[in-house]
Amino acid sequence: MTAAYDVVQVASLGPQFDERLAASCRVLQAWREPRGLAAFSEELRGLRVAVTSVRHGFTRSMFDALPGLQAVCSWGVGHDTLDLRAAAARGIRVSVTPDVLDDCVADLAWALLLSAARRTAVGDRYVKTGQWRALGQFPVATRVSGKRLGVLGLGRIGEAIARRGAGFDMEVRYHNRSPRPQSPYGYEASLTDLAAWADFLVVACVGGAATRHLVDAQVIRALGPQGILVNIARGSVVDQAAALAALRSGELGGAGLDVLEQEPTDAAEFAELDQVSLMPHVGSATRETRAAMAELVYDNVTEFLRTGRLLTPVPDREMQA
Ligand code: NAP
C-alpha cells in the first residue's frame, strides 16, 4: 500500500509557505491538529520528510513517531531545539536555513549596540513623554566609533557583525573554541581576556548545553563598568542573573539583548534599567529575510523528495556534537 503523504509539517511557516508546499507535494499539516503528531498513527508510516521551525523543534519522541522519516527541514539556523543526536542515530538528515539571515541578525546586533551605547530607545521616550521640554538636555552617553569590538562566536553571523565594525573604525577580536586561520581578526583563546580587552562584547555563538552560561559573572566583570554586552545568540549563553546583578551594581555598563533565558517574557526585572535595550527575539524578522528562509525550507524539502539530498544540511560534525 502506498503512503498517503510524503511530508509532515509540525509547524506552520505562514500561509504562503503552507499553501505552496501543499500544492507541490502531499503534506500532512499536523499543526492543524491540537494534539500534534499524537493525533495520527497510520498516516505517519510512509512519511519521508518533516518540516519544523527552530521554535517548535524536533524531539526524540517525534522521531519515534515517524519510523520512515529520512529528513527534517527546519526553519531557522539554531539547532538547540532539534535533537540532532536522535536524528544521527537513525541516519536522518537535518537541514536549517543558514546564510540568508546573517545580515539581518548582524544589523539587529548593531541596532542593540547603538541603542545601549547611545540610548536611542531612552531618548525616544524622553522626547515623546515631554521630558526634553521639561528637563532640557539629555544625559551624555557612550561613544561607539573607534572602540574595541569583541565577538563571541565568529561564525556566519559573527563574521557579519565583525565586518560591520570596519564602518565604525573598530578593532575586532573574537573567541571561538578554535581560531579561524583565514580570519583578519585577532583571536583570543580566553573569553575572559576578550571581555577585558573589549568595549563591546557581542554574543553570536551557538546555544545549547555546551555554551550554557559561557558568559558568566567573571566574563561580565571583565567587560566592566564601561562595557556593553550584546546578545543575539541564545538567552542560555548568558548567566542572566549575574548580568542583572552587575547592571544594577554598575559593574557592567549596559546591555542590548534580543534573547533572554525565558521567552516570551515581560522582563519586569529589566524595567528600571535604562542602560539595557531589549528586543523580543527578532534577529531575522524582516519581511525579506523571513521570505528567504521560507524559500530555503521549501527548496530543501522539494530537493530531498526529488534527489534524496538536502541543500543546506547540518554538517556531520555538528550532528554528532
Ligand atoms: P555558526 O556559523 O555555526 O557559528 C557559530 C559559532 O559559534 C562558530 O564560530 C563556533 O566556533 C562558535 N562556537 C560554538 N561553540 C562554541 C563554544 N563552546 N565556545 C565558543 N564558541 C563557540 O552559526 P551562525 O549561523 O553564525 O548562528 C549562530 C547562532 O545565532 C545560532 O546558533 C542561533 O542560536 C543564533 N541566532 C539567533 C537569531 C536571533 O533571532 N536572535 C537568529 C539566527 C541565529 P567554534 O566551532 O570554533 O567554537
Side-chain angles (χ1 to χ4, degrees):
M1 198 176 79
T2 53
Y5 301 101
D6 300 310
V7 177
V8 59
Q9 225 186 307
V10 300
S12 165
L13 301 190
Q16 246 179 323
F17 173 94
D18 300 343
E19 279 167 32
R20 188 175 174 212
L21 192 67
S24 63
C25 51
R26 299 174 305 169
V27 184
L28 176 65
Q29 295 184 326
W31 52 270
R32 289 188 183 278
E33 168 58 54
R35 287 190 296 139
L37 290 182
F40 306 93
S41 54
E42 277 308 302
E43 298 91 327
L44 304 182
R45 286 199 176 279
L47 281 163
R48 295 167 60 201
V49 180
V51 173
T52 188
S53 71
V54 67
R55 193 151 63 82
H56 288 83
F58 215 83
T59 59
R60 187 171 293 267
S61 64
M62 290 160 124
F63 284 111
D64 290 342
L66 292 157
L69 196 65
Q70 296 169 9
V72 174
C73 299
S74 181
W75 177 98
V77 83
H79 30 75
D80 42 316
T81 54
L82 306 171
D83 192 333
L84 295 184
R85 271 172 195 266
R90 292 162 173 78
I92 296 170
R93 307 309 308 268
V94 178
S95 71
V96 289
T97 58
D99 303 317
V100 294
L101 44 67
D102 299 351
D103 284 329
C104 280
V105 182
D107 290 348
L108 190 80
W110 275 91
L112 285 165
L113 191 160
L114 286 161
S115 178
R118 297 301 306 270
R119 306 277 172 98
T120 53
V122 183
D124 179 78
R125 286 198 300 278
Y126 197 78
V127 177
K128 289 179 180 168
T129 59
Q131 292 180 76
W132 187 18
R133 191 190 292 278
L135 303 174
Q137 277 305 310
F138 188 62
V140 295
T142 300
R143 180 184 167 95
V144 172
S145 290
K147 294 283 189 69
R148 293 168 164 185
L149 177 66
V151 179
L152 165 56
L154 193 78
R156 289 173 294 250
I157 295 171
E159 243 333 304
I161 291 166
R163 263 199 319 275
R164 283 155 174 74
F168 290 86
D169 300 322
M170 286 192 182
E171 191 186 339
V172 180
R173 293 188 190 174
Y174 71 99
H175 170 76
N176 280 357
R177 284 167 301 182
S178 43
R180 302 181 71 189
Q182 310 302 328
S183 171
Y185 311 114
Y187 177 68
E188 289 284 355
S190 148
L191 175 57
T192 308
D193 288 352
L194 179 70
W197 170 84
D199 297 299
F200 308 115
L201 179 67
V202 182
V203 181
C205 63
V206 300
T211 56
R212 186 177 145 71
H213 289 187
L214 209 54
V215 178
D216 59 10
Q218 186 188 343
V219 172
I220 291 165
R221 263 198 309 277
L223 189 55
Q226 309 297 326
I228 288 175
L229 176 69
V230 174
N231 188 6
I232 52 78
R234 286 288 180 267
S236 59
V237 184
V238 173
D239 181 340
Q240 194 165 301
L244 264 167
L247 285 159
R248 287 196 182 113
S249 68
E251 283 179 295
L252 176 64
L257 309 172
D258 183 41
V259 286
L260 292 167
E261 280 189 329
Q262 294 296 323
E263 298 179 3
T265 173
D266 58 8
E269 63 277 32
F270 287 98
E272 303 304 318
L273 298 174
D274 270 356
Q275 69 277 43
V276 180
S277 269
L278 300 178
M279 285 295 276
H281 198 152
V282 288
S284 66
T286 63
R287 285 186 303 281
E288 297 86 344
T289 288
R290 288 289 166 89
M293 290 164 69
E295 182 80 22
L296 195 46
V297 176
Y298 178 86
D299 290 348
N300 268 294
V301 173
T302 51
E303 178 74 12
F304 191 85
L305 290 176
R306 223 162 35 82
T307 68
R309 281 180 301 128
L310 291 169
L311 296 173
T312 50
V314 174
D316 285 342
R317 70 188 144 73
E318 289 174 34
M319 294 290 295
Q320 307 300 338

